[in-house]
Amino acid sequence: MPDTRSQPRRPRSGSRRDEAARLAVLHAADDLLDERGFGALTVEAIARRAGVAKQTIYRWWPSKVEILLDTLIADSEKSLPVPAERPTAETVRDYLRGYARFLADDPAGKVLLALFAEAQHHPATAERFHERYLGPRREQERAMLAHVIDAGAVAPSLDADAALDALLGPILYRALTGTNTPDDTVDTLFETLLRPRTT
Amino acid sequence: MPDTRSQPRRPRSGSRRDEAARLAVLHAADDLLDERGFGALTVEAIARRAGVAKQTIYRWWPSKVEILLDTLIADSEKSLPVPAERPTAETVRDYLRGYARFLADDPAGKVLLALFAEAQHHPATAERFHERYLGPRREQERAMLAHVIDAGAVAPSLDADAALDALLGPILYRALTGTNTPDDTVDTLFETLLRPRTT
Amino acid sequence: MPDTRSQPRRPRSGSRRDEAARLAVLHAADDLLDERGFGALTVEAIARRAGVAKQTIYRWWPSKVEILLDTLIADSEKSLPVPAERPTAETVRDYLRGYARFLADDPAGKVLLALFAEAQHHPATAERFHERYLGPRREQERAMLAHVIDAGAVAPSLDADAALDALLGPILYRALTGTNTPDDTVDTLFETLLRPRTT
Amino acid sequence: MPDTRSQPRRPRSGSRRDEAARLAVLHAADDLLDERGFGALTVEAIARRAGVAKQTIYRWWPSKVEILLDTLIADSEKSLPVPAERPTAETVRDYLRGYARFLADDPAGKVLLALFAEAQHHPATAERFHERYLGPRREQERAMLAHVIDAGAVAPSLDADAALDALLGPILYRALTGTNTPDDTVDTLFETLLRPRTT
DNA sequence: GCGTAAGCGAGACGGTACGTCTGGTCTTCCT
DNA sequence: AGGAAGACCAGACGTACCGTCTCGCTTACGC
């Protein structure tokens, strides 16, 4: 049995995928988007900034959109998880507040907005965006909502998807137009659309 | 006695702008966006399709975004005017229904979505989009809403801008994610958020 | 007393050709070639510099080459006439010296070099250059040479055209390569090729 | 003391220049000049004809003049070498005859004429033309001439450069004006200007 | 002495080519 | 085999001139 010391020591060799290169690409993409805007987010620029060859990017990601999806998924699982364990009306309200803050303040929020934008321009992007992000997330949101409805904590007058659109839509709309959505506005939306029994 | 209405007839010596070329460019841009997507909307392609020299485009439009704004403004004034004369609750509801249909069915709706997208990528685009389209339109929408509130026809629990965002946001959100918003969903939104006294 | 400042105003056109515009174009072309080189000698630049509309140039000259021919013919008739009246060996020698100086020092010499150059690039230019300049001039030079040969003043070992090419060729060649041809070199050429009986 | 001179180890990683593309460009330029004239010799046309991207041309040649210089140098070394080994009077005469034929018949002769022309229009072209072609060639021609003078085979009455100008000038002059220079005219020039002892 | 026709400055028009830039693929060498 | 380097084809970018074409004006000629 050969060397089993699975050391992290040589990040720069071997026949396996280089984790350091992978992270360098993700961070470079994130940073570029944050610092210089989507217009500067070219594969060439990412490679330059990450100190990585273009080919390395094309080998592992079919397009720069997949890079953004990778960072978005990682970041939003961390910063904006959909409440899953015994959600209450309050949990849902806090999730909405968090969503507004995510879009307004978190660099990853810019990634989300950029992907909404790119999805308008390229159907293929739209498809991947739904498959990898919007779809799964909506699934979790539906589960969250179903749970609080079942518990009798809220009583929306719209079906689940329409209700979620009605809650998230305005927050996203304002983010798209450069306007923040403060907590009390979120709260009013929440109360108006979900008619919670207790808050 | 001849016509003495001394109109602003500035003979303005020299050649004049060619209206046919102007329209050809606007239509070519519209058609390309509709048929081949934003990715195919290059100045070169517009010029080719319009049968116009590139220089003619650069002479009159600082960027292709301004071309889109020109077509969007013209088309949405025609297809989706903001009700101004004695609007009622019903007028407002119909406007929202029209907005959903504009985004879903009208080619110009694609232009609006494309501009929302571009605005995320380029701050300069965002600024012009607000200046020329979103701002003036919101002004009219606020006036419309104020009118029906004054008449006691509706009683929103959010301030004007937030209420408009809450109404339009979900419709736009669904359009961005490729979902139509049917009349009854619009109606429920309308009733939930504006609490009309009579409909 | 009214305004008597009778300015040097251009009559601002009538139905006849405007002589001031004609001269302005010729001088602008000359000046541009001299100051900024052939590359800057565009119809657009000539019009700008002459304060004349492009159409005025295209109305009277089929191409900018004809403008150059106009100035070259005028200038070389003035600065470098071919001796016609009773030429002697000495007259011929002085003509050659003058030719070298014309190419080296006179701004119109630059025009001649530019036309030789353009003639290589465009057959149509070559044709007009021969028709309007080289041909008539060679005719005069042949007459000059025939006269001094008849008078027994010189005895070339080449026929007239070849002799003229042998005399003018080296001077032009040196001008094309940026080298002046001093008087004594001209004189040696003259003596070697024409074998004058007296000088 | 160890060897501290930075080693000639040019890792030189990455792709190498594509020789096929290089030759395709040179031949395309040559062919275009020959077939359609200098006016058609645009970078765009060369790229099209060579089946090469414009960027590939701009990567390796600062201007199309350098392309022409590349082809001219290669072609004239092949078709019109300056006699170097023990040149005799006869060798020199044959070189002059070859020069006349090169200008009249060889496609590369057209390149030489085109470069003389371009050099008149652009000082930068003139400089490169002298540096890369005229200068080195004249150096060889001077050596050739010095050799036959030293051997007592010829006795020009002009210094080396002036003598070469006097020999080549007429031939070039006639080529510029579209006239061939037949062998016997070359021979007369040669004999008149170089006074060979034996031929 | 008045209409008309030409010349004028101005500049918009459809085009071609410029030289630069990035996208995405392919190739070569190094580790 | 993975990764860095970078050459390659493709094609859009925004600019400069090309030569043609109105425009609205100003004159001079000829009826």
Side-chain angles (χ1 to χ4, degrees), chain A residues 80-93:
Chain A
L80 189 65
V82 181
E85 310 216 341
R86 308 199 164 283
T88 64
E90 197 167 57
T91 314
V92 173
R93 194 204 58 199

Side-chain angles (χ1 to χ4, degrees), chain A residues 42-44 54-55 58 64:
Chain A
T42 67
V43 172
E44 212 115 37
K54 277 201 301 178
Q55 186 54 37
Y58 283 112
K64 69 187 176 196

Side-chain angles (χ1 to χ4, degrees), chain A residues 85-125:
Chain A
E85 310 216 341
R86 308 199 164 283
T88 64
E90 197 167 57
T91 314
V92 173
R93 194 204 58 199
D94 288 351
Y95 173 66
L96 295 173
R97 288 182 176 180
Y99 189 78
R101 265 195 280 272
F102 182 71
L103 287 175
D105 306 331
D106 198 308
K110 299 275 173 292
V111 178
L112 179 51
L113 294 176
L115 282 167
F116 265 109
E118 269 308 274
Q120 303 313 305
H121 289 344
H122 304 288
T125 296

Side-chain angles (χ1 to χ4, degrees), chain C residues 3-194:
Chain C
D3 186 357
T4 51
R5 292 175 304 171
S6 56
Q7 68 284 38
R9 63 199 176 86
R10 184 133 90 214
R12 186 68 174 85
S13 90
S15 62
R16 299 296 265 265
R17 179 166 190 180
D18 183 343
E19 180 67 7
R22 193 188 129 257
L23 291 175
V25 168
L26 295 182
H27 292 147
D30 244 356
D31 293 352
L32 277 172
L33 184 62
D34 197 39
E35 292 170 22
R36 319 218 3 238
F38 189 88
L41 195 73
T42 66
V43 172
E44 209 112 33
I46 296 171
R48 211 149 41 219
R49 155 85 82 135
V52 138
K54 278 202 298 178
Q55 186 54 39
T56 299
I57 295 180
Y58 285 111
R59 181 155 34 232
W60 298 110
W61 291 275
S63 76
K64 70 186 175 196
V65 161
E66 300 287 333
I67 303 177
L68 291 181
L69 280 169
D70 279 6
T71 74
L72 175 61
I73 289 167
D75 289 349
S76 68
E77 268 168 14
K78 187 170 125 294
S79 305
L80 188 66
V82 181
E85 311 217 341
R86 310 201 162 281
T88 64
E90 196 167 59
T91 313
V92 173
R93 193 203 58 199
D94 287 352
Y95 173 66
L96 294 174
R97 287 181 177 180
Y99 190 78
R101 264 195 281 273
F102 182 71
L103 287 174
D105 306 330
D106 198 307
K110 300 272 172 296
V111 178
L112 179 52
L113 294 176
L115 282 168
F116 265 109
E118 269 308 272
Q120 304 313 306
H121 290 342
H122 304 287
T125 295
E127 195 173 342
R128 293 294 290 156
F129 185 35
H130 281 77
E131 254 172 59
R132 297 195 57 198
Y133 188 79
L134 291 181
R137 201 159 185 91
R138 175 54 57 104
E139 204 58 56
Q140 295 178 283
E141 291 164 343
R142 259 195 298 255
M144 170 187 75
L145 192 57
H147 199 281
V148 288
I149 290 174
D150 283 357
V154 303
S157 36
L158 289 158
D159 68 83
D161 271 323
L164 287 164
D165 293 338
L167 290 164
L168 300 174
I171 299 173
L172 181 77
Y173 185 90
R174 293 169 69 96
L176 288 171
T177 55
T179 315
N180 186 24
T181 306
D183 282 356
D184 63 336
T185 302
V186 173
D187 292 353
T188 305
L189 267 177
F190 169 74
E191 280 152 24
T192 306
L193 290 160
L194 294 189

